[in-house]
């Protein structure tokens, strides 16, 4: 059985060395792993990546040179996280890291031991020095910090701090199988505290394992951030409508639409593997939709020529608003990725707009905080289309459709566009 620390180090290396998302890395080791050990490893990997700016700064100072072989980074960073941000006894973190490295790179044992013991001795001076380095201070890449400071000059520091926190665990109750009040009572019977935060939303006092949620397997409830739950009501569907969910995976918004109304819904995703997650979610919830593994940007490959009444375009984006939920994303994304994704968003908007019927509505959504992916994208689209008008929407705490991360929800953007 692979120890949790070793598994965590491998997960971190998959992200930093191989460029894989943490979700994909976890999927690659899930089979055959002890669930409790995997949960411990996941917690260590998430914590390491959430604090990576500070940890890499310390490692750079202590090592004095690039770490070689590169695979040593995972064990060293995980051990530094345990020494810096956990209650793990110092001897345990050091010994485990040295033993782990010794099994794979015996000659590096002394180097790893020296780095970690020097960290223990120099902890206070390193902490002070880290405050003078932007990436170490904020645990974000420099380009990200600069962009936030320009776009949110009044509170960019508070937003970065929020994005470094732990996200709330919020549930969406399947209204076809029970009420929010009834499910809250079921949670209470199971010893799980929760408060209602939205029409179908319950936010837990403390996160729990999905397996411990009553009725989850039977489709009574799903895990979905409160901010993401705003999409379905904002689309303003009615029973019988023909609806396109253009970028559907993993299917949370798709399911919410179908829980709320009887719809003729087509769900697309260009990745067949991700589309299978939509199918799995709908099956668990007892819902049905037409699914197609296709690129929404090329309607000629999948559209039957009949207009849609509603379109949900949950566009690919930097995911800058959900960095606390996916801390690997802030280190995998580059500055130029934001510009490339903005081009993709514009392409998708242009492709699906002709498919919307007269008087129909398109909801443009991202989980981003960056203006070029959000309101600036919408304004450029409106300037190109005389038959498009943006409708005012009302969201608690939102400014022009932009939700910022806080104790209730992640960061999201919504714009509702009507074909006039």
């Amino acid at each position: 059985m692979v120890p949790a620390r070793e598994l965590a180090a491998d997960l971190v290396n998959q992200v930093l060395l191989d460029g894989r998302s943490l979700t994909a890395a976890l999927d690659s080791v899930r089979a055959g792993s002890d669930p409790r050990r995997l949960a411990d490893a996941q917690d260590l990997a998430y914590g390491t990546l959430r604090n990576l700016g500070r940890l890499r700064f310390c490692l750079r100072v202590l090592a004095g040179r690039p770490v070689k072989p590169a695979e040593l980074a995972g064990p060293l960073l995980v051990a530094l996280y345990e020494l810096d941000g956990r209650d793990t006894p110092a001897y345990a973190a050091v010994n485990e890291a040295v033993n782990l490295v010794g099994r794979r790179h015996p000659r590096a044992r002394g180097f790893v031991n020296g780095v970690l013991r020097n960290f223990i001795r120099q902890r206070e001076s390193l902490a002070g020095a880290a405050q003078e380095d932007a990436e170490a201070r904020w645990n974000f890449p420099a380009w990200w910090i600069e962009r936030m400071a320009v776009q949110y000059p009044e509170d960019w520091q508070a937003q970065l701090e929020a994005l470094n926190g732990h996200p709330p665990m919020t549930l969406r109750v399947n209204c076809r199988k029970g009420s929010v009040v009834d499910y809250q009572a079921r949670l209470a019977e199971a010893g799980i505290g929760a408060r209602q935060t939205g029409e179908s939303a319950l936010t837990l006092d403390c996160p729990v394992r999905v397996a411990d949620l009553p009725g989850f397997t039977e489709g009574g409830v799903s895990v979905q951030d409160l901010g993401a739950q705003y999409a379905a009501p904002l689309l303003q569907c009615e029973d019988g409508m023909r609806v396109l969910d253009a970028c559907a995976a993993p299917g949370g918004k798709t399911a919410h639409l179908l829980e709320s109304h009887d719809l003729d819904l087509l769900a697309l995703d260009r990745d067949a593997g991700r589309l299978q997650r939509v199918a799995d979610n709908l099956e668990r919830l007892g819902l049905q939709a037409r699914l197609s593994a296709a690129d929404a940007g090329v309607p000629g490959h999948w559209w039957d020529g009949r207009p849609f009444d509603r379109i949900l375009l949950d566009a690919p984006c930097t995911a800058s608003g959900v960095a606390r939920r996916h801390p690997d994303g802030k280190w995998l994304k580059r500055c130029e990725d934001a510009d490339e994704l903005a081009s993709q968003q514009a392409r998708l908007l242009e492709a699906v707009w002709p498919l919307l019927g007269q008087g129909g509505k398109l909801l443009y959504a991202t989980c981003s905080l960056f203006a070029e992916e959000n309101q600036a994208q919408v304004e450029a689209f409106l300037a190109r289309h005389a038959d498009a008008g943006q409708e005012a929407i009302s969201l608690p705490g939102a400014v022009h459709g932009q939700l910022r991360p806080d104790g209730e929800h992640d960061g999201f953007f919504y714009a509702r566009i009507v074909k006039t």
Side-chain angles (χ1 to χ4, degrees), residues 159-218:
Q159 290 204 58
L160 290 180
E161 288 176 351
L163 287 170
N164 280 324
H166 291 269
M169 183 173 182
T170 301
L171 311 180
R172 187 190 73 246
V173 178
N174 185 348
C175 63
R176 292 184 180 271
K177 298 197 174 185
S179 71
V180 173
V181 173
D182 288 343
Y183 191 77
Q184 189 174 17
R186 292 185 67 183
L187 289 175
E189 291 175 4
I192 301 172
R195 68 188 192 283
Q196 185 168 357
T197 50
E199 183 179 347
S200 303
L202 290 168
T203 298
L204 304 187
D205 296 343
C206 297
V208 300
R209 296 187 309 155
V210 170
D212 293 333
L213 294 172
F216 179 85
T217 303
E218 295 76 23

Side-chain angles (χ1 to χ4, degrees), residues 17 41 88 96 119 139 155 159 161 209 220 232 266 316 336 361 374 382 401:
L17 303 183
T88 308
E96 285 289 337
F119 173 80
N139 284 304
D155 67 345
Q159 290 204 58
E161 288 176 351
R209 296 187 309 155
L266 171 63
E336 53 267 33
K361 297 183 180 184
N374 296 341
L382 295 174

Side-chain angles (χ1 to χ4, degrees), residues 84-105:
D84 188 48
R86 301 277 291 240
D87 295 329
T88 308
Y91 72 87
V94 173
N95 290 345
E96 285 289 337
V98 170
N99 291 336
L100 188 165
V101 168
R103 290 193 291 273
R104 301 182 182 184
H105 306 283

Side-chain angles (χ1 to χ4, degrees), residues 116 172 184 254 414:
L116 297 180
R172 187 190 73 246
Q184 189 174 17
T254 313
Y414 292 106

Side-chain angles (χ1 to χ4, degrees), residues 18-87:
D18 302 333
R20 302 185 73 179
S21 72
L22 188 51
T23 299
L26 282 163
D27 287 343
S28 73
V29 300
R30 200 175 302 279
S33 295
D34 174 71
R36 190 171 298 278
R37 203 175 298 266
L38 183 61
D40 290 341
Q42 179 176 324
D43 185 52
L44 285 171
Y46 268 87
T48 300
L49 292 168
R50 189 171 282 121
N51 296 279
L52 186 63
R54 177 187 175 92
L55 299 176
R56 279 208 293 211
F57 171 83
C58 293
L59 180 55
R60 188 166 62 247
V61 171
L62 293 166
R65 57 179 172 80
V67 173
K68 293 183 179 180
E71 305 91 79
L72 294 180
L76 278 165
L77 290 167
V78 170
L80 286 170
Y81 168 62
E82 288 198 89
L83 291 170
D84 188 48
R86 301 277 291 240
D87 295 329

Side-chain angles (χ1 to χ4, degrees), residues 317-347:
C317 67
T318 56
S320 50
V322 295
R324 61 183 177 181
R325 203 172 295 277
H326 301 286
D328 51 310
K330 56 186 177 180
W331 306 111
L332 292 174
K333 295 289 192 304
R334 302 164 301 170
C335 181
E336 53 267 33
D337 290 336
D339 298 329
E340 170 60 26
L341 286 162
S343 297
Q344 290 185 38
Q345 293 150 9
R347 178 181 73 90

Side-chain angles (χ1 to χ4, degrees), residues 256-311:
H256 194 188
L257 287 168
L258 293 169
E259 289 170 359
S260 305
H261 299 280
D262 294 320
L263 304 171
D264 175 11
L265 189 147
L266 171 63
L268 302 181
D269 202 275
R270 63 189 301 177
D271 186 324
R274 283 171 52 80
L275 190 67
Q276 184 58 47
R277 294 182 62 190
V278 181
D280 293 342
N281 277 326
L282 296 183
E283 182 179 7
R284 180 181 64 82
L285 294 164
L287 303 169
Q288 291 186 337
R290 292 177 291 123
L291 307 182
S292 179
D295 183 352
V298 190
H301 292 173
W302 52 267
W303 186 43
D304 62 7
R306 293 188 296 151
F308 293 97
D309 301 300
R310 298 287 187 269
I311 295 177

